[in-house]
Amino acid sequence: PAPYDPITDVPSESIQAIIAIAADHAVIQLAAGAYLEGSTNDTLGKAITISGTSDGDGLPTSILDGGNPEGGTSGTRVLQCLN
């Protein structure tokens, strides 16, 4: 994909796969829904934007869920951004 063309077809189980094929400076637009992350998504040193959606009240409707129970410490870190 071209660097500034949003990538909008993001299967909920493949965020890392989309990051892997994204160009530097790409925009990845997540659809509404819960993305249950079983491992850390790594931007692979790329300057990318991962954007979600929100409802009319500004509340998020695209959720990266690391599975951490409320008050717990056993969840997965959902995103790592290193350069």
Side-chain angles (χ1 to χ4, degrees):
Y4 297 103
D5 291 341
I7 301 170
T8 57
D9 186 17
V10 181
S12 61
E13 69 279 359
S14 315
I15 294 173
Q16 187 63 54
I18 297 297
I19 292 170
I21 65 167
D24 205 20
H25 301 284
V27 175
I28 299 171
Q29 176 66 55
L30 302 178
Y35 295 80
L36 304 175
E37 302 302 306
S39 61
T40 302
N41 289 302
D42 189 332
T43 61
L44 307 172
K46 299 175 186 178
I48 60 172
T49 299
I50 299 175
S51 179
T53 58
S54 59
D55 65 16
D57 293 325
L59 299 173
T61 57
S62 300
I63 308 294
L64 294 178
D65 186 347
N68 195 23
E70 187 172 332
T73 59
S74 60
T76 298
R77 176 178 52 189
V78 295
L79 187 61
Q80 172 174 288
C81 304
L82 299 173
N83 188 346

